[in-house]
Amino acid sequence: MNLQAYIEERLTERKVLLMTHLIAGFPSLEANWRMLEIMAEAEVDLVELQMPFSEPIADGPTFARANQQALESGLTLDEYFDLMQRATVTFPFPHLMMGYYNTAFRLGHGPFCRRLAASGACGFILPDLPVEEYGDLWAAGAECEQTPIVLMTPTNTDQRLQQIGAQAEGFVYAVARKGVTGRQTDLGEDLYRFIARCRKATDLPLGIGFGLRSGEDLRQLQGQAEIGIVGSVLLEVWEREGEAGYAALVRDLAAGRD
């Protein structure tokens, strides 16, 4: 899949796209499936499936706890790839692997990308891997038509943003603020200045993540970024309000695109 072309085509119908997130195995694979069904009902544009890891350094408390519980429940890589394969066959949105470099390292770059391709994924996000450390992972991804999504952060210098932008493919994951996932983000002038810095470093679509929590947040991104990325609040609401609350939140987020 040409991920950039897909995003640009979707943007002819919507003012901003919605990418949602779930952690495989939390609270269970059965719950994951229902989450995906709800996302499909709301016509979510892209989905990240996270492979749990014991040291998820970019994740806040909600995700860190969910990672640990998924691993303690015994989730395996085979189960992760099985979920990915079943989901890509069933649901229309593109699926991205989100995880940590440990998975690619353990499998090897070629086998990692081949397994993603065989499972129907269109790319991967490895937030703990600097672009200069990818090595032959760039070539392995290209061979298997897997798009590597790189991150830009507010702490990056302009020179560093240029270095990252020169390697980027598909879209750029722009981290809305310093720190880890989960905490509310102020969608104000600081964020818009950061977005402007990213624009100078890449012509690719920008996805804004870390701290988006509502359809109103998506509306505020219209005209500023191409994708709003939402994760932690979805898990929080599933735990607090169950399936009904989760579905209501996904509908609210989806309504913020138009």
Side-chain angles (χ1 to χ4, degrees):
M1 167 183 281
N2 185 322
L3 192 54
Q4 182 180 354
Y6 167 83
I7 291 167
E8 291 171 351
E9 180 180 354
R10 296 288 282 186
L11 286 168
T12 64
E13 305 170 7
R14 300 196 163 108
K15 295 176 182 176
V16 66
L17 305 187
L18 171 62
M19 183 163 87
T20 49
H21 175 286
L22 63 80
I23 294 175
F26 183 83
S28 67
L29 290 170
E30 292 75 17
N32 291 157
W33 195 257
R34 183 59 190 133
M35 292 171 181
L36 288 164
E37 289 176 333
I38 291 168
M39 293 172 189
E41 290 162 6
E43 299 184 347
V44 163
D45 302 290
L46 304 101
V47 170
E48 295 176 89
L49 293 184
Q50 181 168 348
M51 174 62 203
F53 182 52
S54 57
E55 298 179 41
I57 60 173
D59 292 329
T62 297
F63 275 3
R65 177 173 50 81
N67 272 265
Q68 192 61 39
Q69 291 186 22
L71 292 172
E72 288 175 354
S73 73
L75 185 87
T76 65
L77 264 178
D78 286 342
E79 288 175 318
Y80 173 84
F81 285 115
D82 176 67
L83 175 65
M84 176 73 81
Q85 184 171 39
R86 290 189 294 119
T88 57
V89 168
T90 304
F91 303 112
F93 37 70
H95 295 66
L96 289 157
M97 182 274 181
M98 186 271 166
Y100 290 86
Y101 178 61
N102 177 267
T103 301
F105 177 77
R106 283 174 55 203
L107 292 175
H109 292 172
F112 169 69
C113 291
R114 288 193 289 274
R115 287 203 72 174
L116 286 175
S119 301
C122 67
F124 54 88
I125 306 170
L126 303 174
D128 61 338
L129 185 64
V131 292
E132 58 267 40
E133 299 294 331
Y134 268 65
D136 64 358
L137 187 53
W138 297 115
E143 183 179 339
C144 298
E145 299 184 338
Q146 295 299 301
T147 304
I149 304 302
V150 297
L151 279 69
M152 293 181 176
T153 74
T155 59
N156 292 141
T157 64
D158 290 344
Q159 180 182 8
R160 181 62 175 163
L161 291 176
Q162 290 290 338
Q163 292 171 339
I164 296 168
Q167 298 284 355
E169 302 175 27
F171 71 93
V172 168
Y173 192 130
V175 177
R177 53 169 170 72
K178 300 175 185 178
V180 295
T181 61
R183 183 163 50 84
Q184 177 75 41
T185 293
D186 178 16
L187 302 181
E189 290 305 314
D190 285 348
L191 174 60
Y192 300 148
R193 280 192 290 269
F194 172 54
I195 290 173
R197 292 176 61 218
C198 295
R199 294 286 186 204
K200 292 179 181 179
T202 183
D203 294 328
L204 292 175
L206 295 181
I208 305 299
F210 282 46
L212 304 184
R213 302 181 70 83
S214 69
E216 181 55 34
D217 288 344
L218 270 289
R219 292 183 190 93
Q220 290 188 49
L221 286 183
Q222 292 181 11
Q224 297 288 337
E226 285 71 38
I227 307 166
I229 304 169
V230 183
S232 295
V233 69
L234 290 166
L235 280 189
E236 292 168 9
V237 169
W238 181 278
E239 289 189 286
R240 187 173 64 243
E241 303 177 27
E243 180 181 319
Y246 186 92
L249 174 58
V250 174
R251 288 193 298 268
D252 176 62
L253 291 165
R257 298 174 296 186
D258 302 319

